[in-house]
Amino acid sequence: MGRAYSTIAFDPAKCDGCGDCMTACAQAKTGTDDIARSRIQIYGRDGAADKTFELALCRQCADPKCVTVCPAGALSKDGTSGVIGWDASKCVDCLLCTVGCSYAGIALDETTGHVSKCDTCDGNPACVPACSKGALKYITTANIYNEVGDWEDLFAPGLAGCQGCNTELLMRHTLRRVGPDTVLATPPGCVPGMGSVGFNGTTGTKVPVFHPLLTNTAAMLAGIKRQYKRVGRDVQALAIAGDGGASDVGFQSLSGAAERGEQMLFMVVDNEGYMNTGMQRSSCTPYGAWTSTTPVGETQRGKTQDAKNLPLIMVNHRCAYVATASTAYMEDLYDKLDKAIAASKTGFAYLHVYSPCTTGWRFPSNLNMEVARKAVETNFVMLWEYTPQDGLHFTKPVDDPLPVTDYLKAMGRFRHLSPEQVEHIQKKVVENQKFVERMTEHAHVG
Amino acid sequence: MTTATLEKAAAAEAPRKQKVILAEGNEAAALGVALARPDMVSVYPITPQSSLVEHLAKLIADGRMDADIVDAEGEHSVLSVLQGGALAGARTYTATCGPGLAFMFEPYFRTPGMRLPIVLTIVTRDGITPQSVWGGHQDAMTVREAGWIQVYCESVQEVLDTTVMAFKIAEHHDVMLPVNVCLDGNYLSYGASRVEMPDQADVDEFMGEKDVNWHVALDPLRPMAVDPLTGGTTGKGPQTFVRYRKGQCSGMQNALRVIEEVHADWAKRIGRSFAPLVEEYRLDDADFAIMTLGSMTGAAKDAIDEARDAGKKVGLIKIKTFSPFPVEALMKALAKVKALGVIDRSVGFRWNCGPMYQETLGALYRLGRFIPSMSFIGGLAGADITVPHVHRVINETEALLNGAAAPTEPVWLNEKE
């Protein structure tokens, strides 16, 4: 697997062309205030005040053309940091690299007569803190994928998920993190549907896996965990369940296992319906959504009830850990996985992951992350975690949410909504946000 | 072998002294479970099974039984917990009845398919509706095509002994199927009687080394997918499914032999024997017979003795193992008589007769000889099947022998009393 590296990101919408970043770079690298010598260059600073700005900066490319074209071998990519370095002792000053780079990331420093380029200041770039507008960011998020990439993917390649399936992404990441000493329960739904448990003697999973009933996942898993505990073996009990089974017909066994504090990690993949069997409504389907059992017709326009808030119900079981998560915020998800795994050593851990469904929600398969992100940015989905010790708190608070229409319009399942229905949804989003906010204030009483 | 060695071997084989106690059927079942040393019991209380659960809880609380007890939130989860436990290598046990068994049905019919040797006592209860919390065999009869082995007990002592044997039968490599030990609600569950307690060391030797999940497991040390989807429209899938189904069926048929072997072993080691499949009582020189199931057999034997004293040549056939149906053993018994009356404590809605009667018709057909027969239904909803009831059965069956036409409808014993 390839590696991901930290990088400097630029937001032209926030840049006002002040040039502070350039000054900071020049100072850090040359000890002067000469912005011509800065390795970061903002273009378009002349002219009208409303002009947009562009950035010339080394992208530290994965497949760097500057390195390829260098005849002297003076440029090389560091496999660990990802930074492309320049070796003065080998450079013949031919400037071919400046031609090879499409981003003007490497240029001639006329003062020295050699090329110069950004080296990210050893992971602490001077330009980023100098930007008071927040147009520059040093992005380190991608690093979690490097660690993840070294762990074994415990699902076989070629599972039969839909194109762009978010659930498959989530499953592969989750099981990587949880590891091979796991017994995995995948109740009927998309997870076994795409071949995790297998067909006619095959299996798509490398850990022991089973297909409980839609109704008894938590109970069956409890029996497994109890027996391993009895014989003194540390085996992780993990469920990857759909929202329908968990919130509807399987809720009794889920609630019972949570009440007894069975030591397991129960993950619900919430794609807001029975998406594997033809996109029928579940109690987690949101108000107004089209499903095959809440169709749009003359007298009814989508689901007429609001979604059941399963993670909040689980909070009221006083589980060892409860959290909501989204694949659009992987670092947050991994953090919560770690906490949930730790909590499942002593009690019931519950992780509720929102999982947009390209097929059932009616949006193009390349927009999965975008839909997932918009859900959070509009507060349609709120990311929080709960423990009995620390109560409930937001992990990605969105104080200034986008209007809910930004989320709804991304999907075909809400295309039919009337203004009144949109208003209802927006009202509910605000109401839910206030409800959870109140819980953050009062959850310490336990 | 020297005489001394022979004496020593004989002494080693003789059962140790057994404590005599007074116990109800539910308590006897719990004690039998404790003797079998399960790893996990999961329970949910329901009348008339509740005191069985209470006895189990107390045995564990007192440290007389070393098992993990899971008080689940309903029978559906109870059996699910045990399926998980069994897949992780545990010897497992539970008990239920009536509506609890109905609620358990979803995991219930899956257990034999996974070949999990779970033992489940059905403290039999009649079906609802109309509402009834009393005894009757309707619950156990209703699930007779789910693929479990079902054995019915006549006495409290038989409950205790059969419960231990059930684990050995279930876990036998040629069987690997779950077992229902059926004991009659009210009569056996609450009826206290003298019970001899086998010595734990004798039972341990009888049980041998635990070997529960050699065939299917959820264990990271040997990862496998348990119960993948099978079937489809053509080829490999349906073939696989057929192979599994045939395997279940042959496991059931193997059980007939294994049940006999286990009962013989029990008799040798513990010193008490019970008819494993079909018991014949005063049948050898009988002209006609009545057939019974469960606790009604006691009253029926008394009635037979009285009828014999009155000169009637009547015998009794008791079914102990109802599922798999002991066709060969039953045919052997039926070959001795010329008329038959069958008493059921449940109804068969499809044929308008008792379910055991309906099963017996199949055995009669196999016999290749016509025997006039009739169906009696009694003991529903906790009603007593008394000696006078059985005399009526004997008399009406005897009439068949003398050429009376067999009624096409069942005789309802408690209809007008």
Side-chain angles (χ1 to χ4, degrees):
Chain A
M1 186 164 167
R3 292 186 64 80
Y5 300 107
S6 301
T7 189
I8 296 168
F10 173 67
D11 183 354
K14 289 182 177 165
C15 179
D16 64 358
C18 71
D20 289 351
C21 56
M22 295 157 77
T23 311
C25 179
Q27 280 174 342
K29 293 301 180 194
T30 68
T32 73
D33 285 343
D34 182 2
I35 59 169
R37 300 192 67 194
S38 167
R39 299 174 184 191
I40 180 168
Q41 290 292 331
I42 304 292
Y43 288 92
R45 296 175 68 234
D46 308 323
D50 61 348
K51 195 166 180 179
T52 55
F53 300 91
E54 291 171 42
L55 172 78
L57 178 71
C58 174
R59 264 66 171 170
Q60 322 292 353
C61 297
D63 180 21
K65 291 291 179 286
C66 59
V67 173
T68 315
V69 299
C70 177
L75 288 163
S76 61
K77 187 170 175 73
D78 186 309
T80 309
S81 69
V83 171
I84 295 163
W86 171 73
D87 184 346
S89 67
K90 291 182 180 169
C91 182
V92 294
D93 299 328
C94 67
L95 302 186
L96 274 175
C97 53
T98 66
V99 179
C101 177
S102 316
Y103 307 105
I106 184 163
L108 177 68
D109 180 344
E110 286 180 334
T111 312
T112 60
H114 298 304
V115 290
S116 70
K117 64 178 292 302
C118 168
D119 61 4
T120 71
C121 303
D122 289 332
N124 188 20
C127 54
V128 174
C131 177
S132 56
K133 316 300 178 304
L136 291 174
K137 265 189 201 157
Y138 188 56
I139 307 288
T140 59
T141 311
N143 274 329
I144 62 165
Y145 294 103
N146 295 335
E147 196 184 350
V148 172
D150 293 336
W151 300 332
E152 188 183 4
D153 183 354
L154 291 167
F155 285 102
L159 292 186
C162 300
Q163 191 179 42
C165 177
N166 190 67
T167 301
E168 183 178 350
L169 172 83
L170 176 65
M171 284 156 51
R172 289 186 189 279
H173 277 281
T174 300
L175 210 51
R176 268 195 171 102
R177 186 71 195 98
V178 176
D181 288 329
T182 300
V183 173
L184 173 64
T186 65
C190 294
V191 180
M194 66 179 78
S196 309
V197 183
F199 303 100
N200 294 326
T202 64
T203 174
T205 315
K206 299 179 192 173
V207 297
V209 63
F210 68 108
H211 200 155
L213 300 165
L214 189 56
T215 44
N216 71 354
T217 309
M220 234 175 130
L221 208 48
I224 292 162
K225 179 66 186 183
R226 290 247 191 159
Q227 177 62 13
Y228 279 120
K229 222 179 130 191
R230 182 177 165 84
V231 298
R233 281 178 59 189
D234 184 18
V235 170
Q236 176 73 45
L238 169 70
I240 305 183
D243 56 284
S247 67
D248 296 338
V249 74
F251 181 69
Q252 175 179 301
S253 70
L254 173 62
S255 176
E259 180 267 330
R260 295 190 303 273
E262 303 288 356
Q263 295 172 7
M264 65 177 72
L265 167 51
F266 198 101
M267 173 185 276
V268 166
V269 182
D270 184 4
N271 56 19
E272 301 183 338
Y274 296 89
M275 296 312 175
N276 185 53
T277 48
M279 299 165 280
Q280 297 88 0
R281 67 90 87 177
S282 80
S283 58
C284 282
T285 301
Y287 171 87
W290 168 91
T291 69
S292 59
T293 51
T294 55
V296 176
E298 285 297 314
T299 59
Q300 185 187 317
R301 303 189 67 76
K303 196 189 177 207
T304 53
Q305 305 86 9
D306 292 306
K308 179 191 277 187
N309 196 325
L310 191 55
L312 282 186
I313 294 168
M314 297 315 290
V315 166
N316 277 324
H317 284 74
R318 301 293 189 266
C319 300
Y321 186 76
V322 182
T324 62
S326 163
T327 44
Y329 298 85
M330 272 298 194
E331 217 169 11
D332 183 63
L333 171 62
Y334 267 92
D335 186 42
K336 286 167 176 172
L337 265 175
D338 286 347
K339 289 175 182 169
I341 292 165
S344 71
K345 306 288 179 199
T346 59
F348 196 86
Y350 179 85
L351 200 49
H352 193 100
V353 187
Y354 290 94
S355 191
C357 169
T358 57
T359 314
W361 294 13
R362 305 295 199 232
F363 63 83
S365 55
N366 62 328
L367 291 183
N368 212 310
M369 284 305 116
E370 186 56 23
V371 169
R373 190 177 294 111
K374 280 285 187 293
V376 174
E377 288 175 346
T378 56
N379 264 341
F380 192 87
V381 162
M382 287 169 282
L383 302 182
W384 48 259
E385 66 182 357
Y386 162 89
T387 61
Q389 304 78 38
D390 300 327
L392 190 148
H393 65 270
F394 290 102
T395 57
K396 291 275 170 195
V398 180
D399 298 328
D400 189 17
L402 298 172
V404 75
T405 45
D406 279 19
Y407 172 63
L408 300 177
K409 73 185 179 194
M411 287 162 278
R413 67 170 172 158
F414 291 119
R415 189 180 294 136
H416 58 279
L417 293 185
S418 66
E420 291 76 26
Q421 284 178 301
V422 172
E423 197 186 328
H424 173 92
I425 296 171
Q426 183 67 68
K427 214 179 96 201
K428 280 287 166 187
V429 165
V430 174
E431 193 180 299
N432 284 338
Q433 184 189 345
K434 285 184 178 158
F435 187 84
V436 181
E437 276 169 2
R438 277 199 298 276
M439 289 192 74
T440 64
E441 292 158 14
H442 299 294
H444 293 268
V445 289
Chain B
M1 257 198 271
T2 64
T3 314
T5 318
L6 279 171
E7 276 172 4
K8 207 173 159 189
E13 279 192 8
R16 293 168 176 83
K17 194 169 159 48
Q18 301 188 13
K19 211 170 96 181
V20 176
I21 60 166
L22 181 71
E24 296 177 336
N26 277 348
E27 184 177 4
L31 290 168
V33 173
L35 284 168
R37 298 188 189 275
D39 300 286
M40 190 181 292
V41 297
S42 183
V43 284
Y44 187 86
I46 179 168
T47 304
Q49 160 263 34
S50 298
S51 65
L52 201 167
V53 173
E54 291 161 3
H55 281 298
L56 284 173
K58 191 75 168 72
L59 284 167
I60 291 169
D62 289 346
R64 294 171 64 195
M65 181 175 167
D66 171 29
D68 196 340
I69 186 163
V70 184
D71 293 303
E73 76 287 350
E75 290 85 350
H76 189 286
S77 283
V78 158
L79 190 53
S80 303
V81 165
L82 297 188
Q83 288 181 344
L87 286 166
R91 177 174 289 163
T92 56
Y93 172 82
T94 189
T96 189
C97 65
L101 182 61
F103 183 43
M104 186 186 273
F105 187 65
E106 195 187 12
Y108 181 87
F109 79 80
R110 201 183 181 206
T111 308
M114 288 199 283
R115 308 296 293 267
L116 300 179
I118 295 170
V119 174
L120 186 167
T121 300
I122 303 179
V123 186
T124 60
R125 171 171 160 176
D126 220 317
I128 54 174
T129 282
Q131 297 281 345
S132 164
V133 297
W134 314 102
H137 291 155
Q138 196 69 45
D139 48 4
M141 286 295 159
T142 300
V143 294
R144 68 193 192 277
E145 287 309 351
W148 287 59
I149 293 167
Q150 288 191 334
V151 291
Y152 286 73
C153 297
E154 178 184 336
S155 68
V156 173
Q157 182 72 59
E158 193 172 2
V159 167
L160 189 146
D161 291 16
T162 305
T163 302
V164 184
M165 287 190 272
F167 287 95
K168 190 95 188 264
I169 294 161
E171 292 166 17
H172 193 286
H173 284 201
D174 294 342
V175 179
M176 292 309 294
L177 286 168
V179 177
N180 288 150
V181 179
C182 302
L183 70 97
D184 286 12
N186 299 49
Y187 285 92
L188 290 182
S189 64
Y190 303 145
S193 82
R194 176 190 187 279
V195 179
E196 291 175 11
M197 275 292 287
D199 186 85
Q200 182 69 60
D202 281 332
V203 173
D204 288 345
E205 282 168 24
F206 165 79
M207 291 300 291
E209 205 167 314
K210 195 181 293 180
D211 186 16
V212 179
N213 75 332
W214 54 274
H215 69 305
V216 58
L218 284 164
D219 185 344
L221 294 180
R222 46 177 181 138
M224 66 165 83
V226 169
D227 205 7
L229 206 58
T230 57
T233 51
T234 53
K236 193 185 163 198
Q239 282 171 28
T240 306
F241 191 87
V242 167
R243 202 172 74 233
Y244 274 86
R245 273 288 180 270
K246 276 190 77 176
Q248 267 176 269
C249 286
S250 64
M252 283 297 267
Q253 289 308 303
N254 292 343
L256 290 168
R257 168 179 57 80
V258 170
I259 290 168
E260 287 193 294
E261 287 169 5
V262 168
H263 276 69
D265 191 29
W266 182 264
K268 195 180 84 187
R269 290 172 188 273
I270 310 297
R272 262 192 307 281
S273 63
F274 303 92
L277 306 175
V278 171
E279 181 183 346
E280 299 177 7
Y281 183 75
R282 304 189 75 164
L283 194 72
D284 279 346
D285 63 339
D287 286 333
F288 67 106
I290 64 166
M291 232 170 109
T292 60
L293 187 67
S295 68
M296 70 171 87
T297 310
K301 283 175 177 170
D302 286 349
I304 294 278
D305 288 346
E306 289 175 9
R308 280 278 181 173
D309 290 346
K312 295 178 196 285
K313 292 186 78 177
V314 60
L316 180 143
I317 303 169
K318 178 185 91 168
I319 298 283
K320 165 78 179 276
T321 300
F322 182 78
S323 195
F325 201 65
V327 178
E328 296 295 327
L330 183 57
M331 278 165 60
K332 234 171 89 188
L334 292 173
K336 297 175 182 175
V337 295
K338 299 187 201 72
L340 180 70
V342 180
I343 314 175
D344 276 277
R345 277 194 83 173
S346 57
V347 305
F349 293 104
R350 295 169 298 172
W351 279 53
N352 192 23
C353 67
M356 183 166 72
Y357 176 71
Q358 184 196 329
E359 302 277 359
T360 304
L361 292 180
L364 281 171
Y365 178 82
R366 279 265 192 100
L367 194 62
R369 183 166 71 84
F370 179 76
I371 297 173
S373 63
M374 60 190 285
S375 170
F376 296 86
I377 293 174
L380 301 188
D384 203 354
I385 295 181
T386 60
V387 172
H389 285 126
V390 182
H391 277 306
R392 181 178 169 193
V393 173
I394 291 169
N395 292 339
E396 297 205 20
T397 307
E398 189 180 32
L400 298 180
L401 188 66
N402 299 328
T408 53
E409 295 207 343
V411 174
W412 299 79
L413 292 178
N414 308 105
E415 193 176 18
K416 290 172 188 166
E417 290 182 343

